[in-house]
Amino acid sequence: MTVQISFTLNGRPTTIDVEPATLVTELLRETLSLTGTHIGCDTSQCGACVVHLNGLPVKSCTLLAPALDGATLLTIEGLQGAPGSNQLHPMQEAFREHHGLQCGFCTPGMLMTAVALATEKPVLTEADVRHGLEGNICRCTGYQNIVVSVMAGAAAMNAAKGE
Amino acid sequence: MGNVIGIGASPKRKEDQRFLTGRGNYVSDIKRPGMTAGVFVRSPHGHAVLRGIDKSAALAAPGVIAVLTGDDVKADKLGSLPCGWGISDAKGVPMKEPPFPMLAQDKVRFVGDMVAFVVAETPAQANAAAELLTVDYEVLPSVVGVLEAVRPGAPQLFDDVPNNICCDWELGDKAVVETAFRKAAHVAKLSLVNNRLIGNPMEPRAAIAEYEPGTDRFTLWTTSQFPHVVRFLMGALVLNIPQHKLRVVAPDVGGGFGVKQFHYGEEAVITWAAKRVMRPIKWVASRSEGYVSDRHGRDHVTEAELALDETGKFLAFRVNTLANMGGYLSTFGPNIPTNLYGPLLGGVYTTPAIYCNVKVVFTNTVPVDAYRGAGRPEATFVLERIVDVAASEMGIDRVEIRRRNMIPKEAYPYQTPVLVQYDSGDPVGCLDGALVAADVKDFGIRKAESARRGKFRGLGYSTYVEACGLAPSRFAGRLGARGGLYESATVRVHPTGQVTVMIGTHNHGQGHETTFAQIVSEKLGVSFENVDIVFGDTDRVQFGMGTYGSRSLVVGGAALSKATDKVVAKGKKIAAHLLEAAEVDIQFEAGQFSVAGTDRMKTFEEIAGAAYVPHNYPLEVLEPGLEEQAYYDPVNFTYPGGCHIAEVEVDPETGTVTLVNYTAVDDVGTVINPMIVEGQLHGGIVQGVGQALFENAVYDEGSGQLLSGSLMDYCMPRADHMPMMKVATHSTLCTHTPMGVKGCGEVGTIGSPAAVINAVVDALSHLGVTHVDMPATPNRIWRLLQNASLPVAAE
């Protein structure tokens, strides 16, 4: 048995039939070939799978696909804006500038959480960022450059908003 | 000639664009036409006789294509997983080396040991069928701790390994050490545990195998740090696949930390199974599966004694360690607690006599192997803890006792009593730098301020040396290595002057695509953007030993440097021909070949072009083409070192330890890319802090169950556990690597556990606390405080 769901995926209307037990990570990675959203654990601890559901960050590894019906979903592939554009989002640019990634596996989830943090609170303190990243594990960077990146990225997002 | 970005610059990383946009290519992202799903059935028991497996229900389940067990492995006459190091005891008796079958046969020896492989159309079907497999186990008592495993009457893992001791290894002159102890004014003693760790790279292990009947070739995509070694071990020694018929690809790999540098049974099973089912198979581990199958790290129990004279000079150091190997010998397993541990017990000190005995022990736990630092963090922890104990007992300041015993800069090269000779270093310089950077002089003010808030503040020091770039092959061979420890690089200059480098190391977060491109850009004078680094594919790269032990820049970078030198030499021949000059008169500088003392020159691009258009070449003495290859076998290890200072605050109400300041000054030799080095130091430090404060793999004695079996139970450091760290380099140059580099990937993990625990003990020393085992969790500290005579208010 499948159910039909319609949702907006990275700005595009999408209608698809899914098994009700399908996880959003499976739908994205296996059916839609959007492999930027990663699976790093099976206990919703690591945050490699964070996407935005209706503008809020969620761990897509514990979200069932039928919950997407009528929703707006943003994944790492949609963060840059125009499809095919090489222009990075200010938060991506900040991670690149401040060496906020090493192996890159946690990076999409980190970026999605970071963008949500910066959207939610215009001026972020170091403590805000560290607390806000609690749900995302990085084993490579020791977090320091991620924290620096998120603060810089948030400032750049704010500046862009003001223009 | 373009944008030359050379040594010492920090260009933004070439690899970042794809990772930032979700376009990385990890094994789990790959799909192959007709791909099936594989699932491993693993033992739920720590120790059991495998009496039989009934496949019938699983085989009849929807979508199932094959169910393979140890009997099928036996029937196909396949080998077992080889161990890469064969160590011996002091009399030369080789270690006990029981076979490590790719699927369990006759017995299982740890929870997670593989007993069957199920292949089905979809992962869900494979999982469902795996549940239907009936495995008849006769459960035996498990033994998981090393102390228990060597006791008389302990459960025995292998019939021919009495007392579960794989090898009784020793290093150093026992008699000389005993004599020194008899003359000592003071002997400090310490018993400690180096806790078992799980590496937890964020990308779980995964593999895809495919067999092409048309070419009789196999391809294995695997999350590996050393694809060529997997090809060699698996092809030649396990599955009997000729090397030229086997391609191993390790594409983007999401972190390794050692965990992904071994040849795993999963890789062999899936490759073998792909031919049996004649379809590609994909297996992706869950995190929980990784907990019971990724190789674990550390797990030592140690008794140490340090003999000192009345002035606090170290006279001798004696260490007895029991090291846990787990249920089988993994690829590097026996090498870690022996060759990478004993020789580092000298640290940065002039201790004249050292003796080390290590009993390498089998237990019913996941096999233990190299994990970031591998052996050196264990050595550093023992040494730096006992130095603090000695200082405290003798009433000597902790910095002063270190200073009195440090090898002076001018004493390098320095031969230790335990095999190794350090070529260069400056421990005192690192210490002095760290003392200033950590603002140690005002620590008292900060401690008093903490006390006003009812908190105990402590400061901890750790000075260390490590050995990077395992080497040379000749030396390693004498120590038991069954392979070489060189690296290779090929520099292919295209007719347009762009460059592709094929290198045998593997990039899984270390930024090689950037650092290696900087080396080529500087050495050949070509644009940084015009250099591409290819790695991780045995069909594209000639050969290589991969990335582990901080060897990539040290050994791989040296191979690359040598290969670029050969390109320049060949370019000079071409230039000499084109410019009608003698080869000895050709100079190469900033991307230009010129005739000395003249304005006649050719650019690198012109030479590259001419190399592929040899219209008037003297072909008998000058070959067309511009591609050179080098294999580099190092002459010695490199010895990075440094000083780390941790500052913690302990809350006596809850036992919580908060790391409030962290300072590291490290000697990593030449720094090619400061941004990347700093990132490696940060990450390494936090992995060591994780060991000191949070991480612990805990087994249930008797049943052999892993109690910390998921990210819910195994505490990984998170962003809010850490303060901003201060890291700096204070480098002396390596005297024997071409660019003076020493390696930086593991130094943080080696220096930090002792610094943090020394700080915790310092914070609690007024209560009579002399040692805290890792991890210093709130529960452990709180219990300690309940047993101590806790004063009403902190002093």
Side-chain angles (χ1 to χ4, degrees):
Chain A
M1 190 202 74
T2 58
V3 293
Q4 191 177 70
I5 56 171
S6 294
F7 61 108
T8 306
L9 174 61
N10 296 332
R12 285 185 182 183
T14 304
T15 296
I16 195 162
D17 293 330
V18 295
E19 295 278 345
T22 306
L23 295 167
V24 172
T25 41
E26 290 174 58
L27 175 69
L28 290 171
R29 293 180 51 81
E30 304 303 328
T31 312
L32 300 167
S33 293
L34 294 175
T35 55
T37 300
H38 293 154
I39 303 171
C41 75
D42 35 37
T43 50
S44 300
Q45 292 285 308
C46 81
C49 65
V50 172
V51 297
H52 291 184
L53 179 69
N54 297 326
L56 293 175
V58 295
K59 289 182 173 172
S60 59
C61 70
T62 35
L63 185 68
L64 290 168
L68 296 180
D69 196 37
T72 300
L73 193 73
L74 181 72
T75 72
I76 187 69
E77 288 88 352
L79 196 60
Q80 277 170 287
S85 155
N86 259 340
Q87 182 71 39
L88 296 176
H89 182 279
M91 190 61 79
Q92 291 170 316
E93 196 60 59
F95 270 65
R96 180 170 154 81
E97 180 68 27
H98 298 282
H99 191 29
L101 66 155
Q102 288 182 21
C103 81
F105 194 80
C106 76
T107 307
M110 281 285 176
L111 283 165
M112 298 312 282
T113 299
V115 168
L117 274 177
T119 307
E120 191 188 347
K121 198 172 173 191
V123 181
L124 289 167
T125 65
E126 183 199 332
D128 290 335
V129 174
R130 288 192 183 275
H131 181 67
L133 293 178
E134 257 191 322
N136 291 73
I137 300 177
C138 170
R139 190 55 147 173
C140 294
T141 62
Y143 303 103
Q144 184 144 324
N145 287 344
I146 292 179
V147 172
V148 172
S149 301
V150 175
M151 295 182 74
M157 281 169 64
N158 267 325
K161 233 187 298 174
E163 276 167 11
Chain B
M1 175 100 193
N3 182 25
V4 172
I5 296 178
I7 292 166
S10 293
K12 302 311 155 210
R13 298 199 317 170
K14 280 172 172 271
E15 46 269 74
D16 284 354
Q17 183 81 21
R18 66 179 187 272
F19 295 144
L20 288 167
T21 54
R23 296 194 187 105
N25 184 36
Y26 300 91
V27 172
S28 59
D29 298 341
I30 296 170
K31 284 182 188 171
R32 301 296 299 167
M35 194 165 78
T36 66
V39 165
F40 289 94
V41 179
R42 298 176 182 277
S43 168
H45 304 293
H47 198 189
V49 175
L50 191 55
R51 287 203 292 217
I53 300 175
D54 181 359
K55 296 181 184 182
S56 51
L59 277 171
V64 170
I65 299 163
V67 178
L68 300 170
T69 68
D71 286 343
D72 300 303
V73 173
K74 254 192 242 175
D76 278 8
K77 296 188 171 55
L78 302 176
S80 54
L81 303 175
C83 178
W85 283 76
I87 59 164
S88 303
D89 73 10
K91 296 190 189 93
V93 178
M95 66 182 189
K96 302 280 195 314
E97 196 175 354
F100 186 175
M102 50 197 250
L103 290 174
Q105 292 166 7
D106 311 323
K107 220 180 178 192
V108 290
R109 293 183 175 86
F110 64 93
V111 170
D113 206 352
M114 297 189 291
V115 295
F117 186 52
V118 177
V119 184
E121 295 291 341
T122 69
Q125 288 172 334
N127 275 310
E131 296 285 323
L132 298 173
L133 204 71
T134 311
V135 185
D136 184 7
Y137 294 106
E138 179 192 334
V139 180
L140 304 171
S142 292
V143 62
V144 302
V146 281
L147 290 169
E148 294 76 15
V150 298
R151 272 185 201 140
Q156 300 289 296
L157 271 75
F158 301 97
D159 294 342
D160 52 355
V161 184
N163 305 314
N164 297 313
I165 296 175
C166 162
C167 190
D168 191 346
W169 184 89
E170 62 180 39
L171 178 67
D173 194 324
K174 198 174 183 178
V176 170
V177 167
E178 276 166 9
T179 306
F181 267 88
R182 281 196 290 274
K183 290 182 192 151
H186 184 79
V187 174
K189 295 184 181 184
L190 181 64
S191 304
L192 57 79
V193 170
N194 203 296
N195 44 324
R196 176 182 277 248
L197 301 179
I198 301 174
N200 277 302
M202 291 325 297
E203 178 205 30
R205 285 191 297 122
I208 299 170
E210 180 171 309
Y211 175 71
E212 293 172 78
T215 55
D216 189 31
R217 292 194 93 221
F218 292 83
T219 303
L220 171 69
W221 290 266
T222 179
T223 50
S224 176
Q225 299 176 216
F226 58 7
H228 283 89
V229 182
V230 170
R231 182 181 67 168
F232 172 66
L233 296 177
M234 185 176 84
L237 304 175
V238 185
L239 299 181
N240 304 317
I241 301 170
Q243 297 283 290
H244 66 298
K245 296 290 188 189
L246 175 57
R247 175 185 179 201
V248 178
V249 186
D252 286 331
V253 170
F257 315 114
V259 167
K260 291 175 182 163
Q261 69 166 306
F262 319 118
H263 171 39
Y264 280 94
E266 288 91 343
E267 293 164 330
V269 171
I270 196 172
T271 306
W272 163 62
K275 184 173 179 182
R276 287 183 64 121
V277 304
M278 284 290 190
R279 282 174 65 184
I281 308 170
K282 182 185 209 170
W283 161 75
V284 180
S286 67
R287 175 67 48 184
S288 301
E289 186 178 8
Y291 271 88
V292 295
S293 63
D294 290 0
R295 303 293 177 253
H296 292 182
R298 319 285 192 254
D299 205 345
H300 286 194
V301 174
T302 294
E303 302 275 346
E305 295 168 284
L306 181 66
L308 304 95
D309 73 10
E310 57 286 345
T311 68
K313 280 285 271 183
F314 306 158
L315 300 175
F317 189 31
R318 184 159 54 201
V319 175
N320 289 293
T321 291
L322 292 172
N324 202 335
M325 276 292 99
Y328 302 93
L329 294 180
S330 176
T331 313
F332 291 94
N335 182 47
I336 307 306
T338 54
N339 294 316
L340 287 181
Y341 173 67
L344 275 301
L345 288 167
V348 293
Y349 305 119
T350 55
T351 318
I354 297 171
Y355 171 77
C356 170
N357 173 262
V358 181
K359 289 184 177 64
V360 181
V361 180
F362 288 113
T363 64
N364 296 112
T365 58
V366 168
V368 177
D369 206 323
Y371 165 63
R372 200 172 192 171
R376 293 94 90 198
E378 295 92 314
T380 301
F381 188 69
V382 178
L383 182 56
E384 289 301 291
R385 278 296 300 125
I386 203 165
V387 167
D388 262 27
V389 170
S392 163
E393 288 174 352
M394 294 184 74
I396 304 172
D397 177 77
R398 292 176 293 160
V399 174
E400 179 53 30
I401 201 170
R402 286 180 166 84
R403 205 182 281 283
R404 273 180 212 173
N405 286 284
M406 277 178 172
I407 303 162
K409 189 178 179 184
E410 54 280 6
Y412 288 83
Y414 186 84
Q415 177 64 50
T416 76
V418 274
L419 291 178
V420 290
Q421 189 189 73
Y422 309 144
D423 63 302
S424 66
D426 182 16
V428 177
C430 290
L431 172 67
D432 287 340
L435 289 171
V436 173
D439 191 20
V440 167
K441 66 174 176 29
D442 285 342
F443 172 71
I445 298 169
R446 299 193 293 276
K447 187 176 171 75
E449 193 278 323
S450 291
R452 276 194 294 279
R453 289 183 286 108
K455 306 285 201 301
F456 306 143
R457 203 174 185 100
L459 195 64
Y461 302 91
S462 165
T463 57
Y464 72 92
V465 66
E466 75 142 317
C468 282
L470 260 177
S473 293
R474 168 173 75 240
F475 179 66
R478 282 205 297 274
L479 297 180
R482 290 165 174 169
L485 294 165
Y486 48 84
E487 198 44 79
S488 85
T490 297
V491 176
R492 179 175 297 161
V493 182
H494 303 287
T496 46
Q498 283 116 5
V499 178
T500 302
V501 171
M502 276 67 69
I503 195 153
T505 61
H506 189 276
N507 180 22
H508 38 277
Q510 300 91 338
H512 294 175
E513 289 163 62
T514 304
T515 307
F516 289 155
Q518 284 176 253
I519 294 170
V520 174
S521 181
E522 167 149 335
K523 294 203 65 164
L524 297 182
V526 298
S527 164
F528 174 72
E529 288 74 27
N530 283 343
V531 184
D532 254 5
I533 309 297
V534 173
F535 61 91
D537 183 342
T538 60
D539 266 14
R540 295 187 72 193
V541 177
Q542 56 292 336
F543 201 75
M545 305 309 292
T547 285
Y548 55 88
S550 302
R551 71 186 300 278
S552 294
L553 189 55
V554 173
V555 192
L560 176 56
S561 174
K562 249 180 98 176
T564 56
D565 288 345
K566 289 183 180 177
V567 166
V568 170
K570 173 78 182 285
K572 283 181 177 176
K573 284 188 203 297
I574 297 170
H577 165 68
L578 296 176
L579 297 165
E580 295 177 335
E583 196 184 319
V584 291
D585 291 334
I586 302 292
Q587 295 176 329
F588 180 69
E589 211 185 313
Q592 294 187 338
F593 294 90
S594 59
V595 183
T598 73
D599 60 357
R600 289 155 59 214
M601 54 78 64
K602 293 279 178 190
T603 64
F604 185 80
E605 287 81 359
E606 287 173 312
I607 294 297
Y612 293 95
V613 190
H615 286 166
N616 60 353
Y617 268 26
L619 292 171
E620 62 286 357
V621 292
L622 185 61
E623 287 177 12
L626 193 52
E627 171 172 323
E628 296 290 343
Q629 186 175 82
Y631 279 66
Y632 175 80
D633 199 299
V635 299
N636 192 357
F637 289 92
T638 64
Y639 299 97
C643 178
H644 288 206
I645 301 179
E647 200 168 315
V648 300
E649 204 174 66
V650 179
D651 181 346
E653 301 270 323
T654 61
T656 303
V657 177
T658 305
L659 185 63
V660 289
N661 286 313
Y662 198 93
T663 307
V665 174
D666 295 298
D667 176 358
V668 298
T670 303
V671 174
I672 307 282
N673 183 316
M675 177 189 83
I676 286 175
V677 168
E678 193 178 301
Q680 291 291 306
L681 298 177
H682 287 163
I685 289 167
V686 177
Q687 264 180 280
V689 170
Q691 170 168 28
L693 295 181
F694 313 115
E695 298 181 40
N696 205 15
V698 181
Y699 273 95
D700 179 45
E701 193 74 46
S703 74
Q705 294 298 326
L706 179 64
L707 302 177
S708 50
S710 79
L711 276 171
M712 311 272 278
D713 315 294
Y714 184 93
C715 183
M716 293 270 283
R718 291 173 191 261
D720 62 346
H721 285 134
M722 290 300 300
M724 284 293 177
M725 300 166 265
K726 287 184 205 161
V727 304
T729 52
H730 172 85
S731 285
T732 60
L733 300 192
C734 176
T735 60
H736 58 81
T737 52
M739 294 172 290
V741 298
K742 291 187 174 180
C744 70
E746 297 165 291
V747 295
T749 318
I750 293 166
S752 54
V756 173
I757 293 300
N758 281 344
V760 173
V761 174
D762 181 49
L764 303 177
S765 60
H766 64 288
L767 304 172
V769 172
T770 55
H771 180 65
V772 176
D773 267 326
M774 300 185 288
T777 57
N779 180 41
R780 182 168 275 165
I781 300 295
W782 188 82
R783 282 169 184 273
L784 202 65
L785 291 172
Q786 301 316 300
N787 294 332
S789 51
L790 186 63
V792 178
E795 284 160 25

